[in-house]
Amino acid sequence: MVHSTNSHSRASASGIFIFYFLSHQCDGKLLVSFLDVGQGDAVFIETPSGKQMLIDGGPNKAVLKELGKTMSFFDKSIDIVMESHPDKDHVGGFPAVLERYDVGLFMEPYVACDTGICKELSQSILDEGAKVLHARRGTVVDFGDGVFLSILFPDRNVYDLETNTASIVARLSYGNSSVLFTGDSPQSIEDFLVWK
């Protein structure tokens, strides 16, 4: 369940690191896999109850091969996909992911982008029919099994900001452990969050 103080959702729209490279069951563990997609980022999360999230998708379809090493061959859905920001090395693989997997929710910072990959991704989201949520500080994803994803930034409308500056910063928490995901946030945003 997603709890949010954010009124923007476009329907009007360190911790435990466990690396697996074969199909598996989570067996009560939180799985955080940093996928080898070359330049760029892609992180797959599976909670103890089997809820799944993909943060960023790398620059191209290489993310599919890496997901195939981490997810069951028969698993054709991902609960949440989150774009930290719309640069190609973070979202280039998302159209292929949306084509292959059923995606329930797509989270984004909602920053202006008119590149070819952004246009392709927007169409892929529309074709998939995934709900879209503009992530804002105060949004908390409760996976229902003690795992929470809290949005720390953006705390405002970032539509006109430079894409790196608009990056989603999120904290994944499980018990006493947490992992921070910062996209390509610059030092200025890191400093801002330290004092926030």
Side-chain angles (χ1 to χ4, degrees), residues 34-113:
F34 293 83
L35 306 181
D36 182 6
V37 291
Q39 173 67 30
D41 289 336
V43 181
F44 177 76
I45 297 164
E46 187 165 352
T47 74
S49 63
K51 299 287 178 25
Q52 298 168 329
M53 181 172 192
L54 179 65
I55 300 177
D56 290 335
N60 53 43
K61 293 181 180 181
V63 67
L64 296 180
K65 180 178 178 184
E66 295 304 308
L67 285 171
K69 296 176 182 178
T70 307
M71 299 174 68
S72 163
F73 174 79
F74 300 101
D75 191 348
K76 299 300 180 191
S77 67
I78 299 174
D79 297 293
I80 301 173
V81 167
M82 187 176 87
E83 161 198 308
S84 66
H85 64 293
D87 290 353
K88 185 174 182 179
D89 59 339
H90 291 256
V91 301
F94 276 157
V97 168
L98 287 159
E99 184 177 341
R100 171 139 339 150
Y101 296 95
D102 292 328
V103 174
L105 177 67
F106 190 90
M107 296 177 70
E108 63 178 12
Y110 193 54
V111 60
C113 181

Side-chain angles (χ1 to χ4, degrees), residues 9 26 60 72 90 122 141 172 186 194:
S9 66
C26 275
N60 53 43
S72 163
H90 291 256
S122 292
V141 178
L172 183 72
V194 166

Side-chain angles (χ1 to χ4, degrees), residues 15-16 39 50 161 166 193:
I16 300 172
Q39 173 67 30
L161 292 183
L193 289 172

Side-chain angles (χ1 to χ4, degrees), residues 141-179:
V141 178
D142 179 353
F143 289 98
D145 50 12
V147 178
F148 298 89
L149 183 87
S150 303
I151 303 301
L152 306 180
F153 191 84
D155 64 346
R156 68 197 78 163
N157 183 333
V158 293
Y159 187 80
D160 292 323
L161 292 183
E162 184 272 331
T163 56
N164 286 347
T165 304
S167 288
I168 294 174
V169 177
R171 181 178 59 237
L172 183 72
S173 304
Y174 184 45
N176 295 323
S177 299
S178 62
V179 182

Side-chain angles (χ1 to χ4, degrees), residues 119-135:
K119 292 173 182 175
E120 181 183 358
L121 177 55
S122 292
Q123 187 61 52
S124 295
I125 294 168
L126 191 62
D127 292 346
E128 171 66 16
K131 293 180 183 177
V132 176
L133 176 70
H134 301 159

Side-chain angles (χ1 to χ4, degrees), residues 4-59:
S4 177
T5 56
N6 167 24
S7 61
H8 301 89
S9 66
R10 196 177 77 196
S12 93
S14 289
I16 300 172
F17 294 88
I18 304 170
F19 298 88
Y20 289 100
F21 297 99
L22 299 172
S23 295
H24 66 284
Q25 295 293 326
C26 275
D27 297 329
K29 297 178 181 175
L30 173 64
L31 166 70
V32 180
S33 294
F34 293 83
L35 306 181
D36 182 6
V37 291
Q39 173 67 30
D41 289 336
V43 181
F44 177 76
I45 297 164
E46 187 165 352
T47 74
S49 63
K51 299 287 178 25
Q52 298 168 329
M53 181 172 192
L54 179 65
I55 300 177
D56 290 335

